[in-house]
Amino acid sequence: MKTDSTPCGTGPKYSRKTADERREALLQAALRCIVRLGVEKSSIRAIADEAGVSVGLINHHYGSKEALVAAAYRHVADDLLSQIESRVAACDGGPRERLSAFIDASFSPVVLNETLFRAWLAFWTLQAQSPEVSAVHKERYGAYRQVLEKLFAQIKGDAEAGAMSPRMAAIGLSGLLDGLWLEWCLEPETFTPAEGIALAERWVETAIDDPGSL
Amino acid sequence: MKTDSTPCGTGPKYSRKTADERREALLQAALRCIVRLGVEKSSIRAIADEAGVSVGLINHHYGSKEALVAAAYRHVADDLLSQIESRVAACDGGPRERLSAFIDASFSPVVLNETLFRAWLAFWTLQAQSPEVSAVHKERYGAYRQVLEKLFAQIKGDAEAGAMSPRMAAIGLSGLLDGLWLEWCLEPETFTPAEGIALAERWVETAIDDPGSL
DNA sequence: TCTCTTGTTGAACGATTGTTCAACACCGGG
DNA sequence: CCCGGTGTTGAACAATCGTTCAACAAGAGA
């Protein structure tokens, strides 16, 4: 394989690392591959090459490719939600402003990303077959909706008029955000991120302003 | 006497069919495979086996596996949209009532179907790698949104007050319907179809009633 | 009945996949 | 300095993929 040492070939052929270090390096390499190539093209060899190691290391440290991919997905899901939450937390306004921050974050390039979408597609597909992946989905998606529901509940607490129930408002906004994300990733020319934000904001206004029967 | 050594079953080894018949049979077999096994496991051999023919027939009639899958996508998408449109056409009310019929149809068991969802996941996944599948998506999704946009335009024509532009209203409703469909298929316990209908209806009311800046 | 068209077969091929494992080499402790 | 354990290598392997194509045979027309 490649060695990043002197060209005169007297350096070590590889450097030994601890199991934890190597596992982390392999996971990062897998993520880079998945993002760049998509999951279906992220073969053992592509990931090993990206990490600068040989193919055997992956099965040595993770037991199977599936275990590595599952670990990578968990990492991505955790990272994405925490990134959105940090942008919400950074907002110093009230719940209504924090909800807008959530929407803005949902239409930021970090989320509106075709490669991320491809990873998510693979995640959804795997969910039907792997109970472990399915559990990760349920856990992460529950947390996602919970954040929205709390924000709506706080807004409702502030307002006087009766509004849509926080649960229904959160389900609606979550669906709208996911649907727009889906359609944008499949065909980015359909609408702009700014238009998506405007649509989501309109939903929020509807949910909190109108006296609702939901 | 022309009977050979085999005791029975000396009938024809296969039956010849017209190109159209065989293409249709292969397409149906491909759909059954995709729904049951998923795309990644629906190999040429699995589809051929499902159709009861040999592997060579697929490339003979479709040129490539990609073309067959694209045709299957088109078939499913056509069927789904025409089913929805027929229910809309069966509604004898005005555009507003027809829009409600569209929403009702979108939450009917025909659409809210996990196997259909798995097929759709497969098509979305292939869309990233296959220009042919991507073209089919663009065409079918455009038609889908066009139906919604026309209904919103007719409603706007009827109403006096300014409302959201038909294009934005259609994009929003399309996103909401797709997002809710996605989330329901991934986790049906989250909300009921009736709640989904109520959310979509709420969006329509927002789009046509409020004087909008969109 | 014979012929000819053509739908159909299925073995073969090359590419690629995830996995294995004996050999190798780095590096800390003797 | 050398030695042993262990992190690492990479060729080999079996399975599977989509595609090809020469050979076969079904069935209609002569």
Side-chain angles (χ1 to χ4, degrees):
Chain A
M1 285 302 304
K2 63 174 72 173
T3 58
D4 45 0
S5 59
T6 62
C8 290
T10 52
K13 293 185 178 178
Y14 59 86
S15 74
R16 299 165 75 98
K17 298 195 174 167
T18 67
D20 283 344
E21 284 174 335
R22 190 62 81 186
R23 281 177 63 93
E24 173 68 16
L26 285 174
L27 192 142
Q28 292 298 336
L31 275 181
R32 266 176 280 135
C33 273
I34 288 171
V35 162
R36 175 152 29 91
L37 307 172
V39 203
E40 64 284 351
K41 287 296 166 192
S42 294
S43 66
I44 287 284
R45 283 161 183 83
I47 296 173
D49 198 56
E50 175 70 31
V53 298
S54 81
V55 290
L57 257 198
I58 286 169
N59 276 279
H60 181 260
H61 283 294
Y62 278 94
S64 73
K65 184 198 176 183
E66 186 182 333
L68 171 57
V69 172
Y73 276 137
R74 179 179 286 274
H75 194 275
V76 171
D78 278 353
D79 187 55
L80 195 62
L81 183 58
S82 70
Q83 260 190 308
I84 293 180
E85 279 183 321
S86 76
R87 289 183 62 159
V88 171
C91 177
D92 57 349
R96 181 65 187 81
E97 287 75 22
R98 295 218 299 281
L99 200 47
S100 286
F102 192 105
I103 292 172
D104 284 350
S106 297
F107 285 96
S108 70
V110 182
V111 180
L112 243 50
N113 182 318
E114 291 187 58
T115 54
L116 174 69
F117 171 68
R118 280 172 38 198
W120 229 258
L121 267 187
F123 183 68
W124 288 336
T125 304
L126 258 65
Q127 187 215 232
Q129 324 167 352
S130 163
E132 188 180 351
V133 174
S134 180
V136 173
H137 162 78
K138 212 161 187 166
E139 171 196 324
R140 291 292 89 193
Y141 235 66
Y144 177 82
R145 254 194 308 268
Q146 209 74 8
V147 172
L148 289 180
E149 200 169 326
K150 267 188 186 169
L151 288 176
F152 273 113
Q154 288 174 357
I155 294 174
K156 191 182 182 183
D158 294 351
E160 302 132 28
M164 195 183 295
S165 82
R167 174 178 159 267
M168 290 301 283
I171 289 174
L173 181 56
S174 169
L176 184 58
L177 290 178
D178 277 350
L180 291 176
W181 176 64
L182 175 76
E183 295 184 0
W184 190 91
C185 289
L186 285 171
E187 208 180 338
E189 305 85 28
T190 310
F191 61 93
T192 67
E195 288 174 328
I197 291 175
L199 287 169
E201 288 287 349
R202 172 68 80 104
W203 172 263
V204 173
E205 289 305 318
T206 304
I208 64 179
D209 282 352
D210 280 4
S213 58
L214 296 173
Chain B
M1 289 309 191
K2 64 189 179 77
T3 55
D4 52 35
S5 59
T6 52
C8 59
T10 55
K13 292 184 178 176
Y14 59 86
S15 74
R16 299 164 76 98
K17 299 194 174 169
T18 67
D20 283 345
E21 285 174 335
R22 190 62 82 185
R23 282 176 63 92
E24 173 67 17
L26 286 173
L27 192 145
Q28 293 296 337
L31 276 180
R32 266 177 278 135
C33 273
I34 288 172
V35 163
R36 178 155 24 91
L37 307 171
V39 215
E40 66 283 352
K41 289 295 166 193
S42 293
S43 65
I44 287 284
R45 284 162 183 82
I47 296 172
D49 198 57
E50 174 73 30
V53 298
S54 81
V55 290
L57 259 199
I58 287 168
N59 276 282
H60 181 260
H61 282 294
Y62 278 94
S64 72
K65 184 197 177 184
E66 186 184 320
L68 170 57
V69 174
Y73 184 16
R74 169 174 266 118
H75 190 274
V76 173
D78 275 352
D79 187 55
L80 196 63
L81 183 58
S82 70
Q83 261 189 306
I84 293 179
E85 279 184 321
S86 75
R87 290 181 63 159
V88 170
C91 176
D92 57 349
R96 180 64 186 85
E97 286 75 21
R98 296 217 301 280
L99 199 48
S100 286
F102 192 106
I103 291 172
D104 284 349
S106 297
F107 284 97
S108 71
V110 182
V111 180
L112 245 49
N113 183 320
E114 292 188 56
T115 56
L116 176 67
F117 172 67
R118 297 221 341 237
W120 229 257
L121 265 188
F123 292 136
W124 285 338
T125 303
L126 256 68
Q127 188 245 12
Q129 25 185 301
S130 160
E132 203 167 349
V133 173
S134 180
V136 173
H137 163 79
K138 209 161 188 171
E139 173 195 323
R140 290 293 87 194
Y141 237 66
Y144 177 82
R145 252 194 311 268
Q146 209 74 5
V147 172
L148 289 180
E149 201 169 324
K150 267 187 184 168
L151 289 175
F152 273 113
Q154 289 173 356
I155 294 174
K156 191 182 182 183
D158 294 351
E160 302 133 28
M164 193 183 298
S165 81
R167 175 178 160 264
M168 289 302 283
I171 290 173
L173 181 56
S174 169
L176 184 59
L177 290 177
D178 276 350
L180 291 176
W181 176 64
L182 174 76
E183 295 183 1
W184 190 91
C185 289
L186 285 171
E187 211 179 335
E189 306 85 28
T190 310
F191 62 93
T192 67
E195 289 174 328
I197 291 175
L199 287 170
E201 289 286 351
R202 172 64 81 102
W203 172 263
V204 173
E205 290 303 321
T206 303
I208 64 180
D209 282 353
D210 280 5
S213 59
L214 296 174

